Amino acid sequence: MSDTPAESPDFDAMTRDIAEVPAVEVIVTVAVNLMSAAAVKLGLSEEGEKYKDLDEARKLITALAGLLDGGATEISSFHAAPLRDGLKSLQLAFREASIVPDEPGQGPGEKYTGPIYG
């Protein structure tokens, strides 16, 4: 064990760094992270079934749909369109992975996007 104290983070520098990031970039980054996490929880990663958890996937997809619903007008269609396409792909993958499919309009995020049909 070392007697030197652990270096504490420089919160002022971190605040300055985040202040320089445009809101669009923050929103898109969060959306991509939600999409990636949902894909893993749907079993779409290389290790597939090891991390599959449809309950967790449902939460992540719903959060992504809410973010896109609320933020779409703020990030322009240039950024929103591919994110919406990714969301729809995740919703369809969820429907395919479910043993007992949700009724149309009741799947993850569908209260924001409307019913998704495969």
Side-chain angles (χ1 to χ4, degrees), residues 60-72 87 109 112-113:
L60 292 162
I61 294 168
T62 300
L64 174 61
L67 175 65
L68 294 181
D69 184 53
L87 170 60
Y112 299 109
T113 64

Side-chain angles (χ1 to χ4, degrees), residues 38-115:
V40 169
K41 296 296 184 176
L42 284 169
L44 301 176
S45 66
E46 285 184 22
E47 299 191 29
E49 295 295 316
K50 181 177 179 181
Y51 300 111
K52 188 173 183 178
D53 184 336
L54 294 183
D55 184 51
E56 291 289 302
R58 177 184 295 277
K59 294 171 188 171
L60 292 162
I61 294 168
T62 300
L64 174 61
L67 175 65
L68 294 181
D69 184 53
T73 58
E74 305 300 327
I75 63 173
S76 79
S77 60
F78 175 78
H79 294 289
L83 294 172
R84 282 193 198 110
D85 290 344
L87 170 60
K88 183 175 181 180
S89 295
L90 291 169
Q91 289 171 310
L92 289 170
F94 184 92
R95 190 168 290 284
E96 289 176 16
S98 296
I99 295 170
V100 180
D102 296 312
E103 292 293 322
Q106 301 302 309
E110 291 183 18
K111 70 180 178 181
Y112 299 109
T113 64

Side-chain angles (χ1 to χ4, degrees), residues 11-44:
F11 291 111
D12 289 335
M14 291 169 64
T15 300
R16 282 191 303 276
D17 289 346
I18 197 70
E20 295 172 6
V21 179
V24 171
E25 189 173 328
V26 173
I27 293 167
V28 169
T29 299
V30 169
V32 169
N33 285 331
L34 287 168
M35 290 175 78
S36 298
V40 169
K41 296 296 184 176
L42 284 169
L44 301 176

